[in-house]
Amino acid sequence: MTSPQSATQGTAQIGVVGMAVMGSNLARNFASKGHTVAIYNRSPEKTRAVIQEHGHEGNFVPAETIEEFVASLERPRKAVIMVQAGAATDAVISQLVEAMDEGDIIIDGGNALFTDTIRREHEVAQTGRHFVGAGISGGEEGALHGPSIMPGGPAATWETLGPLLESISAKVDGEPCVTHIGPDGAGHFVKMVHNGIEYADMQVIGEAYHLLRYGAGLEPAAISAIFSEWNEGDLDSYLIEITAEVLRQVDARTGKPFIDVIVDAAGQKGTGRWTVKEALDLGVPTTGIGEAVFARALSSALAQREAAQRIGLPSGDLTTLAELGIDREQFVEDVRRALYASKLVAYAQGFDEINAGSQEYGWGIKPGDLARIWRGGCIIRAKFLNRITEAYERDPELPSLLLDPYFKGELANGLIDAWRRVVITATQLGLPVPVFASSLSYYDSLRAERLPAALIQGQRDFFGAHTYRRVDMEGTFHTAWSGDREELSY
Ligand code: ATR
Protein backbone atom coordinates (compact mmCIF):
# COMPACT_ATOMS: atom_id res chain seq x y z
CA MET A 1 0.00 0.00 0.00
CA THR A 2 2.77 2.39 -0.82
CA SER A 3 1.69 5.53 -2.59
CA PRO A 4 3.73 7.09 -5.39
CA GLN A 5 4.62 9.92 -3.01
CA SER A 6 6.00 7.64 -0.33
CA ALA A 7 9.54 7.88 -1.60
CA THR A 8 9.60 11.60 -1.06
CA GLN A 9 10.90 13.10 2.13
CA GLY A 10 9.05 16.13 3.41
CA THR A 11 10.17 18.79 5.82
CA ALA A 12 7.16 19.12 8.12
CA GLN A 13 7.70 17.68 11.60
CA ILE A 14 3.97 17.33 12.10
CA GLY A 15 0.79 17.57 10.06
CA VAL A 16 -2.77 18.46 10.99
CA VAL A 17 -5.80 17.24 9.02
CA GLY A 18 -8.97 19.28 9.54
CA MET A 19 -8.83 23.06 9.54
CA ALA A 20 -11.97 23.80 11.56
CA VAL A 21 -11.35 25.84 14.72
CA MET A 22 -9.69 23.15 16.87
CA GLY A 23 -7.49 21.85 14.03
CA SER A 24 -6.33 25.25 12.84
CA ASN A 25 -5.60 26.40 16.37
CA LEU A 26 -3.60 23.26 17.07
CA ALA A 27 -1.64 23.75 13.83
CA ARG A 28 -0.93 27.37 14.78
CA ASN A 29 0.22 26.23 18.23
CA PHE A 30 2.71 23.78 16.64
CA ALA A 31 3.92 26.49 14.26
CA SER A 32 4.35 29.01 17.06
CA LYS A 33 6.66 26.54 18.82
CA GLY A 34 8.97 26.53 15.81
CA HIS A 35 7.74 23.34 14.10
CA THR A 36 7.10 23.16 10.39
CA VAL A 37 3.44 22.12 10.11
CA ALA A 38 1.74 20.51 7.15
CA ILE A 39 -1.94 21.37 6.96
CA TYR A 40 -4.80 19.86 5.01
CA ASN A 41 -8.58 20.16 4.92
CA ARG A 42 -11.08 18.30 2.73
CA SER A 43 -12.32 21.63 1.37
CA PRO A 44 -9.19 23.56 0.37
CA GLU A 45 -10.74 26.99 1.10
CA LYS A 46 -10.22 26.43 4.81
CA THR A 47 -6.55 25.60 4.31
CA ARG A 48 -6.10 28.71 2.18
CA ALA A 49 -7.88 30.82 4.79
CA VAL A 50 -5.49 29.61 7.51
CA ILE A 51 -2.50 30.53 5.36
CA GLN A 52 -3.98 33.89 4.50
CA GLU A 53 -4.84 34.82 8.08
CA HIS A 54 -2.07 33.09 10.02
CA GLY A 55 0.61 32.11 7.53
CA HIS A 56 2.95 34.74 8.98
CA GLU A 57 2.87 33.08 12.42
CA GLY A 58 5.23 30.24 11.46
CA ASN A 59 6.18 27.63 8.90
CA PHE A 60 3.11 26.06 7.34
CA VAL A 61 3.10 23.69 4.39
CA PRO A 62 -0.40 23.80 2.91
CA ALA A 63 -1.60 20.80 0.93
CA GLU A 64 -4.62 20.42 -1.32
CA THR A 65 -4.63 16.63 -1.51
CA ILE A 66 -3.99 14.04 1.15
CA GLU A 67 -1.11 12.62 -0.93
CA GLU A 68 0.54 16.03 -1.12
CA PHE A 69 -0.01 16.42 2.63
CA VAL A 70 1.59 13.06 3.43
CA ALA A 71 4.50 13.75 1.08
CA SER A 72 5.28 16.98 2.92
CA LEU A 73 5.89 15.16 6.23
CA GLU A 74 9.26 14.18 7.66
CA ARG A 75 9.69 10.48 8.51
CA PRO A 76 8.38 8.83 10.54
CA ARG A 77 5.37 10.85 9.45
CA LYS A 78 3.12 12.18 12.16
CA ALA A 79 -0.37 13.44 11.34
CA VAL A 80 -2.97 14.67 13.82
CA ILE A 81 -6.60 14.24 12.74
CA MET A 82 -8.93 17.00 13.94
CA VAL A 83 -12.13 16.28 12.04
CA GLN A 84 -15.65 15.43 13.06
CA ALA A 85 -15.82 12.34 15.29
CA GLY A 86 -17.28 9.15 13.84
CA ALA A 87 -17.45 8.38 10.13
CA ALA A 88 -15.33 11.40 9.12
CA THR A 89 -12.51 10.23 11.38
CA ASP A 90 -12.70 6.71 9.91
CA ALA A 91 -12.63 8.12 6.39
CA VAL A 92 -9.52 10.22 7.07
CA ILE A 93 -7.78 7.33 8.83
CA SER A 94 -8.17 5.10 5.80
CA GLN A 95 -6.93 7.84 3.47
CA LEU A 96 -3.87 8.36 5.65
CA VAL A 97 -3.19 4.63 5.98
CA GLU A 98 -3.32 4.39 2.21
CA ALA A 99 -0.88 7.26 1.66
CA MET A 100 1.50 6.54 4.55
CA ASP A 101 4.16 3.91 5.11
CA GLU A 102 4.99 1.45 7.86
CA GLY A 103 6.17 3.16 11.03
CA ASP A 104 4.23 6.36 10.37
CA ILE A 105 1.96 7.64 13.14
CA ILE A 106 -1.69 8.69 12.88
CA ILE A 107 -3.01 10.62 15.87
CA ASP A 108 -6.74 11.15 16.43
CA GLY A 109 -7.08 14.31 18.51
CA GLY A 110 -10.90 14.37 18.43
CA ASN A 111 -13.34 13.27 21.11
CA ALA A 112 -13.61 9.66 19.97
CA LEU A 113 -15.36 7.02 22.02
CA PHE A 114 -12.54 4.93 23.49
CA THR A 115 -13.97 1.67 22.14
CA ASP A 116 -13.74 3.17 18.62
CA THR A 117 -10.13 4.05 19.41
CA ILE A 118 -9.40 0.47 20.49
CA ARG A 119 -10.89 -0.78 17.21
CA ARG A 120 -9.01 1.78 15.11
CA GLU A 121 -5.71 1.09 16.83
CA HIS A 122 -6.13 -2.60 16.12
CA GLU A 123 -7.01 -2.01 12.46
CA VAL A 124 -4.20 0.48 11.84
CA ALA A 125 -1.62 -1.67 13.65
CA GLN A 126 -2.35 -4.47 11.17
CA THR A 127 -1.10 -2.22 8.36
CA GLY A 128 2.19 -1.52 10.15
CA ARG A 129 1.27 2.11 10.80
CA HIS A 130 0.74 3.32 14.37
CA PHE A 131 -2.45 4.81 15.74
CA VAL A 132 -2.64 7.06 18.77
CA GLY A 133 -5.98 8.20 20.20
CA ALA A 134 -5.23 11.42 22.06
CA GLY A 135 -7.69 13.29 24.26
CA ILE A 136 -7.14 17.03 23.95
CA SER A 137 -8.77 19.31 26.48
CA GLY A 138 -8.94 23.06 26.74
CA GLY A 139 -11.28 24.08 23.98
CA GLU A 140 -10.28 26.51 21.27
CA GLU A 141 -8.07 28.61 23.52
CA GLY A 142 -6.31 25.54 24.90
CA ALA A 143 -5.64 24.20 21.40
CA LEU A 144 -4.02 27.51 20.48
CA HIS A 145 -2.12 28.39 23.64
CA GLY A 146 -1.54 25.07 25.39
CA PRO A 147 -3.98 22.22 25.98
CA SER A 148 -3.84 19.30 28.36
CA ILE A 149 -3.14 16.26 26.18
CA MET A 150 -3.94 12.63 26.98
CA PRO A 151 -2.36 10.37 24.35
CA GLY A 152 -2.89 6.61 24.32
CA GLY A 153 -1.55 4.20 21.72
CA PRO A 154 1.63 2.11 21.64
CA ALA A 155 4.27 3.20 24.17
CA ALA A 156 6.93 3.29 21.42
CA THR A 157 5.12 6.17 19.69
CA TRP A 158 5.58 8.33 22.78
CA GLU A 159 9.34 8.54 22.15
CA THR A 160 8.66 10.27 18.83
CA LEU A 161 5.53 12.15 19.79
CA GLY A 162 6.42 13.09 23.35
CA PRO A 163 8.70 16.07 22.62
CA LEU A 164 6.30 17.45 20.00
CA LEU A 165 3.27 17.21 22.27
CA GLU A 166 5.20 18.53 25.25
CA SER A 167 6.19 21.58 23.25
CA ILE A 168 2.57 22.61 22.57
CA SER A 169 0.97 21.54 25.86
CA ALA A 170 0.16 23.78 28.79
CA LYS A 171 2.91 24.00 31.45
CA VAL A 172 2.43 24.18 35.20
CA ASP A 173 5.47 24.77 37.43
CA GLY A 174 7.57 24.04 34.33
CA GLU A 175 5.97 20.62 33.86
CA PRO A 176 4.17 19.86 30.57
CA CYS A 177 0.51 18.88 30.87
CA VAL A 178 0.90 15.73 28.78
CA THR A 179 2.00 12.18 29.42
CA HIS A 180 1.56 8.81 27.76
CA ILE A 181 -1.59 7.49 29.42
CA GLY A 182 -1.46 3.86 28.32
CA PRO A 183 -2.07 1.60 25.31
CA ASP A 184 -4.86 1.81 22.68
CA GLY A 185 -7.98 3.55 24.06
CA ALA A 186 -6.50 4.70 27.39
CA GLY A 187 -6.12 8.34 26.34
CA HIS A 188 -9.65 8.74 25.04
CA PHE A 189 -11.06 6.86 28.04
CA VAL A 190 -9.33 9.25 30.41
CA LYS A 191 -10.49 12.24 28.37
CA MET A 192 -14.04 10.89 28.56
CA VAL A 193 -13.92 10.64 32.37
CA HIS A 194 -12.24 14.06 32.52
CA ASN A 195 -15.30 15.44 30.73
CA GLY A 196 -17.61 13.55 33.07
CA ILE A 197 -15.85 15.09 36.06
CA GLU A 198 -16.24 18.45 34.33
CA TYR A 199 -20.02 17.89 34.19
CA ALA A 200 -20.11 17.20 37.94
CA ASP A 201 -17.84 20.15 38.74
CA MET A 202 -20.06 22.50 36.72
CA GLN A 203 -23.20 21.12 38.34
CA VAL A 204 -21.95 21.57 41.93
CA ILE A 205 -21.00 25.15 41.07
CA GLY A 206 -24.49 25.57 39.62
CA GLU A 207 -26.09 24.20 42.79
CA ALA A 208 -24.03 26.58 44.94
CA TYR A 209 -25.09 29.52 42.74
CA HIS A 210 -28.74 28.47 42.95
CA LEU A 211 -28.64 28.31 46.76
CA LEU A 212 -26.98 31.71 47.04
CA ARG A 213 -29.42 33.25 44.59
CA TYR A 214 -32.72 31.72 45.65
CA GLY A 215 -31.86 30.63 49.20
CA ALA A 216 -29.70 33.49 50.43
CA GLY A 217 -31.43 35.98 48.10
CA LEU A 218 -28.20 37.42 46.68
CA GLU A 219 -27.98 39.17 43.33
CA PRO A 220 -25.73 37.77 40.56
CA ALA A 221 -23.17 40.57 40.97
CA ALA A 222 -22.84 39.82 44.69
CA ILE A 223 -22.55 36.09 43.97
CA SER A 224 -19.89 36.85 41.37
CA ALA A 225 -17.87 38.61 44.08
CA ILE A 226 -18.30 35.57 46.35
CA PHE A 227 -17.04 33.21 43.63
CA SER A 228 -14.04 35.48 43.03
CA GLU A 229 -13.27 35.28 46.74
CA TRP A 230 -13.67 31.49 46.72
CA ASN A 231 -11.23 31.41 43.82
CA GLU A 232 -8.52 32.60 46.22
CA GLY A 233 -8.80 29.49 48.39
CA ASP A 234 -9.23 25.69 48.14
CA LEU A 235 -11.65 26.06 45.22
CA ASP A 236 -9.17 28.00 43.06
CA SER A 237 -9.98 26.76 39.54
CA TYR A 238 -10.77 27.81 36.00
CA LEU A 239 -14.46 26.88 36.36
CA ILE A 240 -14.91 29.02 39.50
CA GLU A 241 -13.06 31.86 37.78
CA ILE A 242 -15.31 31.82 34.69
CA THR A 243 -18.40 31.44 36.89
CA ALA A 244 -17.55 34.79 38.49
CA GLU A 245 -17.16 36.26 34.99
CA VAL A 246 -20.49 34.93 33.71
CA LEU A 247 -22.33 36.16 36.83
CA ARG A 248 -20.74 39.60 36.55
CA GLN A 249 -21.91 40.00 32.95
CA VAL A 250 -24.78 42.39 32.26
CA ASP A 251 -26.96 41.82 29.19
CA ALA A 252 -26.36 44.66 26.73
CA ARG A 253 -29.87 44.41 25.24
CA THR A 254 -31.89 44.57 28.43
CA GLY A 255 -29.51 45.75 31.16
CA LYS A 256 -30.50 42.63 33.14
CA PRO A 257 -28.00 40.23 34.67
CA PHE A 258 -26.82 38.10 31.74
CA ILE A 259 -27.60 34.89 33.65
CA ASP A 260 -31.29 35.86 33.70
CA VAL A 261 -31.62 36.06 29.93
CA ILE A 262 -30.15 32.59 29.25
CA VAL A 263 -32.65 29.73 28.77
CA ASP A 264 -32.03 27.35 31.67
CA ALA A 265 -31.80 24.18 29.55
CA ALA A 266 -28.28 22.75 29.54
CA GLY A 267 -26.94 21.07 26.41
CA GLN A 268 -24.58 18.14 26.17
CA LYS A 269 -22.50 16.62 23.43
CA GLY A 270 -22.25 13.13 24.90
CA THR A 271 -18.99 12.57 26.78
CA GLY A 272 -20.73 12.87 30.17
CA ARG A 273 -23.30 10.32 29.07
CA TRP A 274 -20.54 7.99 27.83
CA THR A 275 -18.80 8.28 31.20
CA VAL A 276 -21.95 7.21 33.01
CA LYS A 277 -22.74 4.38 30.58
CA GLU A 278 -19.24 3.03 30.98
CA ALA A 279 -19.44 3.44 34.76
CA LEU A 280 -22.59 1.31 34.73
CA ASP A 281 -20.81 -1.36 32.70
CA LEU A 282 -17.80 -1.29 35.02
CA GLY A 283 -20.04 -1.27 38.11
CA VAL A 284 -18.51 1.93 39.46
CA PRO A 285 -20.89 4.27 41.31
CA THR A 286 -20.08 7.62 39.72
CA THR A 287 -23.18 9.15 41.26
CA GLY A 288 -21.93 12.74 41.04
CA ILE A 289 -21.35 12.55 37.29
CA GLY A 290 -24.59 10.60 36.83
CA GLU A 291 -26.65 13.18 38.70
CA ALA A 292 -24.95 15.96 36.75
CA VAL A 293 -25.85 14.32 33.42
CA PHE A 294 -29.43 13.74 34.59
CA ALA A 295 -29.69 17.31 35.88
CA ARG A 296 -28.85 18.57 32.37
CA ALA A 297 -31.42 16.17 30.90
CA LEU A 298 -34.12 17.35 33.33
CA SER A 299 -33.29 21.00 32.63
CA SER A 300 -33.85 20.29 28.94
CA ALA A 301 -37.13 18.40 29.46
CA LEU A 302 -38.93 21.61 28.62
CA ALA A 303 -42.35 20.13 27.85
CA GLN A 304 -42.51 18.47 31.27
CA ARG A 305 -41.16 21.52 33.06
CA GLU A 306 -43.66 23.79 31.34
CA ALA A 307 -46.49 21.41 32.22
CA ALA A 308 -45.31 21.37 35.83
CA GLN A 309 -45.44 25.18 35.87
CA ARG A 310 -48.86 25.24 34.23
CA ILE A 311 -50.51 22.53 36.27
CA GLY A 312 -48.44 23.10 39.40
CA LEU A 313 -46.92 20.57 41.78
CA PRO A 314 -47.38 20.87 45.52
CA SER A 315 -44.23 22.06 47.30
CA GLY A 316 -45.23 21.17 50.87
CA ASP A 317 -44.38 23.68 53.57
CA LEU A 318 -41.35 25.71 52.60
CA THR A 319 -39.41 28.11 54.72
CA THR A 320 -36.72 30.78 54.46
CA LEU A 321 -33.25 31.27 55.90
CA ALA A 322 -34.65 34.01 58.16
CA GLU A 323 -37.41 31.76 59.48
CA LEU A 324 -34.85 29.06 60.09
CA GLY A 325 -32.70 31.59 61.95
CA ILE A 326 -29.74 30.92 59.66
CA ASP A 327 -27.22 33.73 59.33
CA ARG A 328 -26.61 34.57 55.67
CA GLU A 329 -22.84 34.79 55.96
CA GLN A 330 -22.72 31.45 57.73
CA PHE A 331 -24.89 29.96 55.00
CA VAL A 332 -22.59 31.27 52.27
CA GLU A 333 -19.60 29.68 54.00
CA ASP A 334 -21.52 26.42 54.48
CA VAL A 335 -22.36 26.38 50.78
CA ARG A 336 -18.67 26.83 49.94
CA ARG A 337 -17.83 23.84 52.09
CA ALA A 338 -20.66 21.72 50.68
CA LEU A 339 -19.42 22.54 47.19
CA TYR A 340 -15.89 21.53 48.11
CA ALA A 341 -17.02 18.25 49.70
CA SER A 342 -19.33 17.32 46.80
CA LYS A 343 -16.62 18.14 44.29
CA LEU A 344 -14.22 15.93 46.21
CA VAL A 345 -16.68 13.03 46.00
CA ALA A 346 -17.18 13.57 42.25
CA TYR A 347 -13.42 13.52 41.63
CA ALA A 348 -12.97 10.48 43.87
CA GLN A 349 -15.63 8.66 41.85
CA GLY A 350 -14.10 9.75 38.53
CA PHE A 351 -10.72 8.39 39.60
CA ASP A 352 -12.44 5.17 40.71
CA GLU A 353 -13.81 4.81 37.19
CA ILE A 354 -10.39 5.44 35.67
CA ASN A 355 -8.81 2.85 37.96
CA ALA A 356 -11.56 0.34 37.15
CA GLY A 357 -11.21 1.00 33.40
CA SER A 358 -7.44 0.67 33.62
CA GLN A 359 -7.83 -2.69 35.32
CA GLU A 360 -10.55 -3.93 32.96
CA TYR A 361 -8.61 -3.04 29.81
CA GLY A 362 -5.09 -3.63 31.19
CA TRP A 363 -3.87 -0.07 30.68
CA GLY A 364 -1.69 0.47 33.76
CA ILE A 365 -2.83 4.09 34.15
CA LYS A 366 -1.13 6.04 36.93
CA PRO A 367 -3.88 8.21 38.45
CA GLY A 368 -1.42 10.67 40.05
CA ASP A 369 -0.05 11.50 36.58
CA LEU A 370 -3.51 12.43 35.39
CA ALA A 371 -4.09 14.89 38.19
CA ARG A 372 -0.69 16.38 37.29
CA ILE A 373 -1.48 16.87 33.59
CA TRP A 374 -4.94 18.28 34.38
CA ARG A 375 -3.48 21.14 36.41
CA GLY A 376 -3.14 23.29 33.30
CA GLY A 377 -4.72 23.67 29.87
CA CYS A 378 -7.94 21.80 30.52
CA ILE A 379 -11.37 22.93 31.69
CA ILE A 380 -11.09 21.27 35.12
CA ARG A 381 -7.69 22.82 35.84
CA ALA A 382 -7.50 23.60 39.53
CA LYS A 383 -5.11 23.95 42.43
CA PHE A 384 -6.98 21.10 44.06
CA LEU A 385 -5.43 18.68 41.53
CA ASN A 386 -2.03 19.13 43.21
CA ARG A 387 -3.59 17.56 46.29
CA ILE A 388 -4.79 14.60 44.23
CA THR A 389 -1.32 14.07 42.76
CA GLU A 390 0.15 14.19 46.27
CA ALA A 391 -2.48 11.74 47.51
CA TYR A 392 -1.52 9.18 44.84
CA GLU A 393 2.18 9.84 45.48
CA ARG A 394 1.62 8.98 49.14
CA ASP A 395 -0.24 5.81 48.17
CA PRO A 396 -0.50 4.73 44.52
CA GLU A 397 -2.95 2.01 45.61
CA LEU A 398 -5.24 4.40 47.47
CA PRO A 399 -8.68 2.66 47.64
CA SER A 400 -10.51 6.01 47.38
CA LEU A 401 -9.34 9.62 47.29
CA LEU A 402 -11.66 10.21 50.25
CA LEU A 403 -9.41 7.96 52.33
CA ASP A 404 -6.28 10.00 51.72
CA PRO A 405 -5.16 11.58 55.02
CA TYR A 406 -5.24 15.11 53.60
CA PHE A 407 -8.77 14.87 52.17
CA LYS A 408 -9.98 12.93 55.21
CA GLY A 409 -8.63 15.76 57.34
CA GLU A 410 -10.40 18.36 55.20
CA LEU A 411 -13.69 16.48 55.52
CA ALA A 412 -13.33 16.17 59.29
CA ASN A 413 -12.26 19.76 59.60
CA GLY A 414 -15.67 21.39 59.12
CA LEU A 415 -16.69 20.17 55.66
CA ILE A 416 -19.07 17.42 56.70
CA ASP A 417 -21.12 19.37 59.20
CA ALA A 418 -21.54 22.27 56.77
CA TRP A 419 -22.45 19.83 53.98
CA ARG A 420 -25.18 18.20 56.08
CA ARG A 421 -26.57 21.60 57.07
CA VAL A 422 -26.71 22.74 53.45
CA VAL A 423 -28.49 19.61 52.23
CA ILE A 424 -31.02 19.88 55.09
CA THR A 425 -31.59 23.60 54.46
CA ALA A 426 -31.90 23.16 50.69
CA THR A 427 -34.59 20.53 51.31
CA GLN A 428 -36.44 22.86 53.66
CA LEU A 429 -36.21 25.69 51.12
CA GLY A 430 -37.37 23.39 48.31
CA LEU A 431 -34.26 24.03 46.21
CA PRO A 432 -32.84 21.13 44.16
CA VAL A 433 -29.29 19.99 45.01
CA PRO A 434 -28.96 16.64 43.22
CA VAL A 435 -25.18 16.36 43.39
CA PHE A 436 -24.76 17.89 46.88
CA ALA A 437 -27.37 15.48 48.25
CA SER A 438 -26.44 12.33 46.36
CA SER A 439 -22.74 12.86 47.10
CA LEU A 440 -23.53 13.07 50.80
CA SER A 441 -25.54 9.84 50.57
CA TYR A 442 -22.65 8.22 48.71
CA TYR A 443 -20.29 9.39 51.44
CA ASP A 444 -22.54 8.06 54.19
CA SER A 445 -22.88 4.77 52.32
CA LEU A 446 -19.13 4.45 51.91
CA ARG A 447 -18.47 4.96 55.61
CA ALA A 448 -21.42 2.85 56.84
CA GLU A 449 -20.57 -0.33 58.68
CA ARG A 450 -23.80 -1.97 57.51
CA LEU A 451 -25.85 -1.23 54.40
CA PRO A 452 -29.43 -2.20 53.52
CA ALA A 453 -27.92 -4.42 50.84
CA ALA A 454 -28.39 -7.29 53.32
CA LEU A 455 -32.14 -6.82 52.98
CA ILE A 456 -31.85 -6.68 49.18
CA GLN A 457 -30.00 -10.00 49.24
CA GLY A 458 -32.79 -11.42 51.43
CA GLN A 459 -35.42 -10.20 48.96
CA ARG A 460 -33.47 -11.56 45.99
CA ASP A 461 -33.17 -14.91 47.66
CA PHE A 462 -36.90 -14.86 48.50
CA PHE A 463 -38.24 -14.17 45.01
CA GLY A 464 -35.55 -15.61 42.81
CA ALA A 465 -33.42 -18.02 44.86
CA HIS A 466 -30.45 -15.79 44.06
CA THR A 467 -28.66 -17.01 47.24
CA TYR A 468 -26.71 -15.01 49.82
CA ARG A 469 -23.52 -15.19 51.86
CA ARG A 470 -23.48 -15.19 55.67
CA VAL A 471 -21.42 -12.93 57.90
CA ASP A 472 -20.44 -15.80 60.16
CA MET A 473 -19.39 -18.61 57.83
CA GLU A 474 -18.01 -19.30 54.35
CA GLY A 475 -20.22 -20.51 51.53
CA THR A 476 -23.34 -19.68 49.59
CA PHE A 477 -26.81 -20.15 51.08
CA HIS A 478 -30.47 -20.26 50.15
CA THR A 479 -33.49 -20.35 52.40
CA ALA A 480 -36.45 -22.45 51.21
CA TRP A 481 -38.86 -19.54 51.60
CA SER A 482 -41.95 -21.22 50.18
CA GLY A 483 -41.39 -24.43 52.09
CA ASP A 484 -40.10 -25.14 55.55
CA ARG A 485 -37.65 -22.18 55.47
CA GLU A 486 -34.76 -24.50 56.04
CA GLU A 487 -31.39 -23.02 55.06
CA LEU A 488 -29.52 -24.88 52.37
CA SER A 489 -25.81 -24.38 51.78
CA TYR A 490 -23.92 -24.81 48.50
P1 ATR B 1 -16.11 22.17 14.36
O1 ATR B 1 -17.19 21.69 15.28
O2 ATR B 1 -14.95 22.82 15.02
O3 ATR B 1 -16.62 22.90 13.13
P2 ATR B 1 -16.10 19.45 13.43
O4 ATR B 1 -17.51 19.56 12.95
O5 ATR B 1 -15.80 18.54 14.55
O6 ATR B 1 -15.46 20.86 13.74
O7 ATR B 1 -15.21 19.04 12.20
C1 ATR B 1 -15.23 19.76 11.02
C2 ATR B 1 -14.03 19.33 10.22
O8 ATR B 1 -14.18 17.95 9.85
C3 ATR B 1 -13.85 20.12 8.97
O9 ATR B 1 -12.49 20.31 8.78
C4 ATR B 1 -14.44 19.20 7.91
O10 ATR B 1 -13.96 19.38 6.62
P3 ATR B 1 -14.71 20.38 5.60
O11 ATR B 1 -14.23 21.74 5.94
O12 ATR B 1 -14.26 19.94 4.26
O13 ATR B 1 -16.19 20.20 5.83
C5 ATR B 1 -13.97 17.87 8.44
N1 ATR B 1 -14.69 16.75 7.87
C6 ATR B 1 -15.98 16.42 8.10
N2 ATR B 1 -16.31 15.30 7.41
C7 ATR B 1 -15.19 14.90 6.74
C8 ATR B 1 -14.87 13.81 5.90
N3 ATR B 1 -15.76 12.86 5.60
N4 ATR B 1 -13.61 13.75 5.41
C9 ATR B 1 -12.70 14.68 5.72
N5 ATR B 1 -12.93 15.72 6.52
C10 ATR B 1 -14.15 15.83 7.04
Side-chain angles (χ1 to χ4, degrees):
M1 264 202 267
T2 303
S3 73
Q5 284 79 13
S6 66
T8 59
Q9 166 77 322
T11 56
Q13 282 99 45
I14 185 88
V16 181
V17 178
M19 287 294 113
V21 183
M22 286 294 285
S24 59
N25 280 3
L26 202 71
R28 290 169 59 198
N29 188 351
F30 275 117
S32 74
K33 301 297 176 311
H35 306 295
T36 299
V37 190
I39 59 172
Y40 168 75
N41 193 72
R42 181 181 58 176
S43 352
E45 311 86 73
K46 283 200 184 131
T47 310
R48 292 183 205 133
V50 172
I51 295 299
Q52 199 163 25
E53 287 162 38
H54 306 287
H56 61 279
E57 293 171 11
N59 293 326
F60 295 97
V61 184
E64 301 226 341
T65 65
I66 202 101
E67 291 77 16
E68 199 189 321
F69 169 80
V70 167
S72 66
L73 294 167
E74 208 178 78
R75 289 161 190 271
R77 304 184 181 96
K78 296 163 284 292
V80 186
I81 303 175
M82 298 295 287
V83 304
Q84 225 164 32
T89 302
D90 278 315
V92 174
I93 292 170
S94 48
Q95 289 163 15
L96 284 174
V97 164
E98 183 70 22
M100 283 178 153
D101 287 319
E102 288 194 9
D104 290 346
I105 305 171
I106 299 169
I107 304 118
D108 175 17
N111 257 340
L113 181 60
F114 76 97
T115 44
D116 283 342
T117 303
I118 293 175
R119 168 182 59 80
R120 288 168 178 152
E121 206 262 342
H122 184 70
E123 286 167 5
V124 173
Q126 285 179 334
T127 72
R129 285 91 175 136
H130 302 297
F131 184 77
V132 173
I136 301 183
S137 176
E140 296 171 17
E141 281 297 298
L144 183 58
H145 298 296
S148 174
I149 313 174
M150 294 149 252
T157 56
W158 177 244
E159 282 166 37
T160 320
L161 283 182
L164 273 165
L165 297 181
E166 282 176 357
S167 73
I168 61 154
S169 76
K171 312 282 180 309
V172 175
D173 301 334
E175 287 182 81
C177 294
V178 56
T179 190
H180 181 244
I181 307 290
D184 57 66
H188 275 138
F189 181 90
V190 159
K191 172 64 180 8
M192 172 188 80
V193 179
H194 162 284
N195 284 22
I197 291 174
E198 184 182 308
Y199 274 56
D201 207 338
M202 292 167 76
Q203 175 66 24
V204 288
I205 292 172
E207 290 176 19
Y209 156 73
H210 205 67
L211 288 171
L212 299 187
R213 183 83 190 268
Y214 302 104
L218 294 165
E219 288 305 311
I223 303 173
S224 166
I226 290 170
F227 274 102
S228 293
E229 200 183 304
W230 289 357
N231 202 37
E232 302 294 314
D234 297 319
L235 293 176
D236 177 342
S237 63
Y238 173 71
L239 283 171
I240 294 278
E241 183 190 322
I242 65 165
T243 299
E245 291 292 328
V246 172
L247 292 174
R248 188 175 300 136
Q249 182 78 4
V250 173
D251 178 47
R253 290 176 203 273
T254 59
K256 289 183 185 170
F258 174 65
I259 185 82
D260 290 346
V261 301
I262 305 180
V263 174
D264 58 348
Q268 45 185 320
K269 278 193 166 174
T271 42
R273 193 166 52 230
W274 289 349
T275 309
V276 179
K277 280 183 174 175
E278 184 59 21
L280 291 172
D281 285 343
L282 290 168
V284 181
T286 53
T287 57
I289 301 170
E291 287 291 350
V293 172
F294 286 133
R296 288 197 192 189
L298 176 52
S299 77
S300 298
L302 294 178
Q304 280 183 321
R305 289 181 62 201
E306 276 158 19
Q309 287 303 305
R310 203 172 54 248
I311 299 163
L313 279 171
S315 65
D317 283 339
L318 298 181
T319 182
T320 62
L321 283 193
E323 278 172 7
L324 290 167
I326 296 172
D327 172 65
R328 192 149 81 173
E329 248 175 63
Q330 177 63 46
F331 184 68
V332 172
E333 175 55 15
D334 277 358
V335 169
R336 186 190 70 82
R337 293 178 189 207
L339 163 51
Y340 184 18
S342 309
K343 172 172 162 148
L344 180 51
V345 168
Y347 277 68
Q349 295 174 340
F351 276 88
D352 287 348
E353 181 167 350
I354 288 169
N355 286 327
S358 179
Q359 205 157 18
E360 173 73 17
Y361 297 99
W363 287 325
I365 296 174
K366 297 193 194 75
D369 282 358
L370 300 185
R372 194 169 48 71
I373 66 164
W374 289 347
R375 289 179 309 160
C378 65
I379 305 296
I380 64 169
R381 61 185 181 259
K383 240 194 199 155
F384 169 77
L385 290 161
N386 278 317
R387 303 295 191 185
I388 297 182
T389 304
E390 288 159 14
Y392 282 113
E393 271 166 9
R394 272 190 286 277
D395 180 4
E397 306 295 324
L398 195 60
S400 163
L401 269 180
L402 300 170
L403 291 162
D404 170 69
Y406 174 79
F407 289 124
K408 212 176 120 193
E410 291 281 276
L411 286 161
N413 194 17
L415 289 194
I416 296 178
D417 293 331
W419 193 11
R420 291 195 193 288
R421 282 195 296 271
V422 167
V423 171
I424 292 166
T425 306
T427 308
Q428 291 171 314
L429 299 174
L431 296 175
V433 282
V435 177
F436 279 15
S438 69
S439 301
L440 182 54
S441 279
Y442 170 88
Y443 180 78
D444 280 333
S445 297
L446 188 62
R447 54 168 210 88
E449 195 187 337
R450 290 281 290 165
L451 286 171
L455 177 58
I456 290 167
Q457 285 300 86
Q459 293 164 333
R460 293 180 71 236
D461 192 57
F462 190 104
F463 67 67
H466 291 301
T467 74
Y468 53 89
R469 286 181 295 121
R470 294 183 58 100
V471 296
D472 52 1
M473 62 178 88
E474 289 295 312
T476 304
F477 300 89
H478 167 61
T479 291
W481 295 100
S482 53
D484 57 5
R485 302 211 166 179
E486 188 194 342
E487 186 175 70
L488 309 167
S489 73
Y490 301 96

